[in-house]
Amino acid sequence: MSTLHIVPSEPAAGSLRVALRSGEDPYARVLAFPDNFSFGPIAPGDPMVRMQWWGAFPPAAGASLGPELPEFWRTLETTGDDRVVVWFSRRTADELAFFLAVTERLGARPFEVIEVGHPPVRAVAALSPDQMANLLGSGHPITDDQRASSQQHWRQLMGENATFRVVVGTGLASAPADHFDAQLLAAAASRWQPVHRIVGQVMGDNNIADMPLFWRVATLVATGELIADGDPWAVRTTKVRLPE
């Protein structure tokens, strides 16, 4: 029986490959999701929309998305593996968005789920190879109710097509572009601080990727709500502060 493990990120894929070599099935394949669906447009589901959105950021952002996303979907939809296993956590927006999107794409195909997120580990990406090895074989088939509710939830989020998706008590919810702005402004001060320090604080509080927060800092600079001493996208060298 051939097995395909689908994980939410490349770091998770690297750890799982190590775990598989000494664990359940050294010949199993691992497919890593190359994007982060917790922010940016997700409708109409065309990878070109995502690629164009990523491509709109300046070169200093170091953000890009090439053919990896359409290749991921093509592999997912054409796989001939007998067993498909999807890993995710409900405690992080990127991994929950990944799970909902993958469930919608798989349609009625049977697959197994390995859900992580018990303290202190919040995400699949945070698991060590040993921790992943211990979870191999613990997957359970997705239920019809879980499949239907996940697919409906993702279609709702696609219909809303908000800038951000954040974890709330009921799962994943849409949020506007300025959702994290108040926290970024609260982390700033009247004294100069490096952009990465302010962003790092909000990242830690929300378990969100850094790039969309760097974008919001650049937006706050453009609107005059923050003052920068250089290019706000030069996040390692530029400092920002609140206006006087």
Side-chain angles (χ1 to χ4, degrees):
M1 174 183 290
S2 59
T3 300
L4 175 66
H5 292 272
I6 306 171
V7 293
S9 64
E10 189 55 50
S15 294
L16 182 54
R17 290 185 183 107
V18 173
L20 286 167
R21 282 199 290 268
S22 58
E24 177 191 60
D25 183 0
Y27 301 105
R29 296 194 303 145
V30 179
L31 180 64
F33 190 58
D35 203 348
N36 184 332
F37 274 3
S38 68
F39 54 88
I42 54 175
D46 182 352
M48 286 301 300
V49 173
R50 294 289 299 181
M51 293 166 67
Q52 291 169 0
W53 184 78
W54 279 99
F57 290 101
S64 64
L65 180 67
E68 301 89 353
L69 185 58
E71 289 174 0
F72 173 89
W73 292 131
R74 186 162 48 251
T75 300
L76 180 72
E77 293 168 354
T78 61
T79 178
D81 292 279
D82 303 303
R83 177 174 172 244
V84 174
V85 183
V86 180
W87 299 62
F88 82 106
S89 168
R90 294 183 185 277
R91 300 183 67 194
T92 64
D94 59 328
E95 295 196 1
L96 183 50
F98 150 82
F99 172 74
L100 297 176
V102 166
T103 301
E104 201 277 332
R105 287 277 184 150
L106 283 171
R109 173 163 183 162
F111 65 93
E112 296 178 25
V113 176
I114 295 180
E115 182 177 345
V116 305
H118 300 293
V121 177
R122 294 179 57 90
V124 176
L127 293 172
S128 68
D130 286 344
Q131 289 172 314
M132 297 191 96
N134 289 335
L135 290 171
L136 289 171
S138 67
H140 59 84
I142 189 169
T143 66
D144 291 341
D145 287 346
Q146 186 180 17
R147 184 196 304 274
S149 63
S150 297
Q151 292 174 344
Q152 180 180 4
H153 193 176
W154 186 245
R155 290 167 190 154
Q156 175 186 339
L157 292 169
M158 289 182 68
E160 295 164 350
N161 204 28
T163 301
F164 288 106
R165 280 151 292 281
V166 297
V167 175
V168 296
T170 55
L172 207 59
S174 296
D178 62 359
H179 180 76
F180 297 103
D181 288 6
Q183 295 180 58
L184 290 166
L185 292 171
S190 57
R191 68 182 187 282
W192 294 107
Q193 294 185 84
V195 171
H196 68 84
R197 181 176 298 171
I198 292 172
V199 165
Q201 180 176 327
V202 179
M203 281 178 63
D205 291 341
N206 296 275
N207 199 29
I208 183 177
D210 58 2
M211 202 284 295
L213 297 180
F214 290 140
W215 164 56
R216 292 311 303 169
V217 168
T219 301
L220 292 170
V221 170
T223 59
E225 295 174 82
L226 286 175
I227 306 297
D229 67 357
D231 181 358
W233 282 106
V235 299
R236 293 297 172 186
T237 57
T238 295
K239 297 179 181 179
V240 295
R241 63 172 173 82
L242 296 171
E244 295 180 352

